Amino acid sequence: MKFQLLLGSLFSQVKVRHWWIGIFLWIALIAPAQASVILRVAIERGVNQVKVGSSTTALVKDSTGRTLGQLPSMSSFNAQSIPGGVALDRWQSGLFWIEPTGDGFVYIGDRWYRGRTLVVPTDKGLDVINWVDLEEYLYSVIGGEMDSGWPQEALKAQAIAARTYALYKRKQQRNHPTYDLGDSPDRWQIYKGVISESPTIYTAVDATAGKVLTHNNEIILSVFHACSGGHTENVEDVWGNPLAYLRAVQDYDQNISACNWVKTFSPDEISSEISGVGNVKDMIPEAYSPFRSIKVLKIVGDKGTRVLRGEEVRTALKLKSTRFSISRDANSNFVLQGLGFGHGLGMSQWGAYNLARQGANHLQILGHYYQGVALTPIKTR
């Protein structure tokens, strides 16, 4: 790929005290009406510069919607944050749209994506947003979240869960002026662009197009995880607040090796991860869920005590799950032997795999992991 550098002079120094208002209005004015649901996915946030391009000739538009010119196909250009806006090749503007012609893909950073690109300044640098149709977004997400060779019924269940989750998060983020979602699994879903797509994924997404899960006519928080190790959890035992549809159920993933794990820590390793306790003397589970996941873990050191609760038990020590036992080895190391991979809420992906192989369809899978929900068509805008 040919890389071309930014040209020329930057904007004159301009103070934009209320730039968020201006950006929001620009987006509202120049975004075309859509018959389908469009997601705004942040690929880069708060960066000083980023490479952008298109697989086909792309139109470059400014903050008023005026076409400035074209980017040639299969070339990459640096978009750079400057005072008052963005510089891209020979142009400067308050923001830029990059819209491929035909069936082209856009290039952001180091990957190809469907849809178009918005490059917009923030107080931390540039946000680079992929505006993409919801169903085409799922072509990538499902391939990132599940193996494309898995049974179709498991892939369909994942497609509906992921579509529902995306729209739930979009609703949560509705007041954000530039994006609805990010592209990482810590808060959102795995989104790697077209590299994750495959024919089996297209089939699963297309077969479930426009379908989401609701409870009392509201889109649900359709979380999922790799595996629970035999039983999922009630949401209040992990995140604190009860939800009627995220109830603990029997799981079907005990035969999966990735769901059985052992991790050994020296006292020094735990001390480096848990601040304020000094040399770690003991780790004491103080409360369990009904299914033996640790809800409260006390870490005792020679300089203090730290109490971890809920999901923090897993994330603070970078564990696969909170369902584990603790023992000491001959060298006084802490040996954690566990089951599960993830927070243990909602759909187990490996459980869905095994249920599909046993003949369950995607509706049966979803109905098992999300209690009392309905399959509902989404409303387009």
Side-chain angles (χ1 to χ4, degrees), residues 225-236:
H225 58 282
C227 51
S228 72
H231 213 287
T232 70
E233 293 288 344
N234 293 314
V235 65
E236 62 269 23

Side-chain angles (χ1 to χ4, degrees), residues 19-28 38-46 97 118-131 168-182 187-188 381:
W19 57 269
W20 274 117
I21 297 173
I23 288 170
F24 187 79
L25 291 175
W26 285 330
I27 293 171
I38 298 298
L39 291 180
R40 306 172 302 163
V41 186
I43 307 302
E44 299 283 358
R45 289 178 290 155
W97 292 97
L118 172 65
V119 185
V120 61
T122 74
D123 54 0
K124 296 181 180 179
L126 298 178
D127 283 359
V128 186
I129 316 300
N130 178 209
W131 282 47
Y168 183 96
K169 288 293 185 178
R170 178 177 182 253
K171 184 177 179 181
Q172 277 191 327
Q173 193 85 352
R174 61 189 168 197
N175 292 325
H176 197 285
T178 59
Y179 64 86
D180 304 314
L181 305 164
R187 284 183 58 194
W188 296 290
R381 62 173 179 84

Side-chain angles (χ1 to χ4, degrees), residues 35-39 41 114-115 131-143 155-156 158-164 166-167 181 191 193 197-198 201-212 376-380:
S36 57
V37 175
I38 298 298
L39 291 180
V41 186
R114 294 175 181 269
W131 282 47
V132 61
D133 178 87
L134 169 62
E135 302 302 322
E136 294 183 342
Y137 162 81
L138 293 173
Y139 290 159
S140 174
V141 168
I142 308 313
L155 295 175
K156 289 177 185 177
Q158 181 67 73
I160 293 171
R163 183 182 296 109
T164 305
L167 293 180
L181 305 164
Y191 180 57
E197 297 183 6
S198 71
I201 301 299
Y202 301 150
T203 299
V205 173
D206 293 348
T208 63
K211 300 296 193 301
V212 294
T376 307
I378 61 176
K379 295 179 180 179
T380 58

Side-chain angles (χ1 to χ4, degrees), residues 2 4 7 52-62 66-77 88-91 96-102:
K2 181 173 69 174
Q4 301 184 18
L7 297 180
V52 294
S54 175
S55 63
T56 60
T57 299
L59 300 179
V60 178
K61 297 182 179 180
D62 68 9
R66 178 171 59 99
T67 298
L68 301 176
Q70 297 182 342
L71 294 182
S73 64
M74 302 305 292
S75 296
S76 180
F77 298 81
L88 173 65
D89 193 46
R90 60 188 180 277
W91 305 293
F96 284 107
W97 292 97
I98 301 170
E99 300 181 356
T101 57

Side-chain angles (χ1 to χ4, degrees), residues 50 211 243 341:
V50 63
K211 300 296 193 301
L243 291 168
F341 195 161

Side-chain angles (χ1 to χ4, degrees), residues 177-336:
T178 59
Y179 64 86
D180 304 314
L181 305 164
D183 63 350
S184 61
D186 53 345
R187 284 183 58 194
W188 296 290
Q189 301 182 104
I190 298 172
Y191 180 57
K192 298 180 180 179
V194 298
I195 194 172
S196 300
E197 297 183 6
S198 71
T200 56
I201 301 299
Y202 301 150
T203 299
V205 173
D206 293 348
T208 63
K211 300 296 193 301
V212 294
L213 299 173
T214 60
H215 184 269
N216 291 337
N217 296 317
E218 296 288 338
I219 287 178
I220 72 166
L221 176 58
S222 55
V223 290
F224 46 86
H225 58 282
C227 51
S228 72
H231 213 287
T232 70
E233 293 288 344
N234 293 314
V235 65
E236 62 269 23
D237 289 326
V238 182
W239 291 339
N241 296 320
L243 291 168
Y245 50 83
L246 286 181
R247 313 317 301 155
V249 296
Q250 179 184 352
D251 210 347
Y252 300 90
D253 55 12
Q254 297 93 322
N255 64 323
I256 306 302
S257 60
C259 299
N260 293 267
W261 56 270
V262 176
K263 193 166 184 177
T264 300
F265 292 95
S266 69
D268 287 344
E269 287 173 329
I270 297 177
S271 297
S272 67
E273 296 291 342
I274 308 298
S275 61
V277 299
N279 297 317
V280 172
K281 301 298 183 182
D282 206 354
M283 298 173 66
I284 305 168
E286 294 201 317
Y288 290 91
S289 79
F291 309 101
R292 302 301 296 172
S293 291
I294 297 175
K295 294 173 59 177
V296 181
L297 178 66
K298 183 166 71 174
I299 298 178
V300 181
D302 61 2
K303 294 183 179 179
T305 298
R306 174 90 175 268
V307 177
L308 306 178
R309 300 178 186 278
E311 186 72 348
E312 190 182 19
V313 174
R314 179 171 69 98
T315 57
L317 293 173
K318 301 179 178 64
L319 304 175
K320 284 188 174 183
S321 72
T322 58
R323 187 170 294 159
F324 58 88
S325 60
I326 303 171
S327 60
R328 304 292 287 267
D329 65 14
N331 297 315
S332 296
N333 294 318
F334 294 91
V335 181
L336 279 55

